[in-house]
Amino acid sequence: MKKRNENDQPTIAPGMDDQEELEQKASDEEMKKGEYTEVTTLSYDEVDPS
């Protein structure tokens, strides 16, 4: 097993449109085979409550 280096960063394929790719739904066939990844989107609310 490869030991992770502290400098390893997540990577995305060049030319990939992150938002479009992450929002793409898995097909029924992919769901049945378990060939999908659950994606959770976090957003930062910049509105100051004061």
Side-chain angles (χ1 to χ4, degrees), residues 25-27 30-39:
K25 302 287 184 196
S27 69
E30 290 170 326
M31 296 285 282
K32 287 178 187 175
K33 291 181 179 180
E35 295 178 352
Y36 64 94
T37 301
E38 186 173 327
V39 176

Side-chain angles (χ1 to χ4, degrees), residues 3 5 12 18 24 27 35 42 46:
K3 185 177 179 181
N5 187 349
I12 295 178
D18 302 347
Q24 185 177 22
S27 69
E35 295 178 352
L42 302 175
E46 296 183 33

Side-chain angles (χ1 to χ4, degrees), residues 6-49:
E6 288 182 24
N7 295 330
D8 286 350
Q9 295 294 319
T11 57
I12 295 178
M16 182 174 168
D17 180 359
D18 302 347
Q19 195 65 27
E20 183 180 329
E21 295 293 327
L22 294 174
E23 290 178 356
Q24 185 177 22
K25 302 287 184 196
S27 69
D28 290 337
E29 185 176 330
E30 290 170 326
M31 296 285 282
K32 287 178 187 175
K33 291 181 179 180
E35 295 178 352
Y36 64 94
T37 301
E38 186 173 327
V39 176
T40 303
T41 303
L42 302 175
S43 63
Y44 180 72
D45 187 358
E46 296 183 33
V47 177
D48 187 12

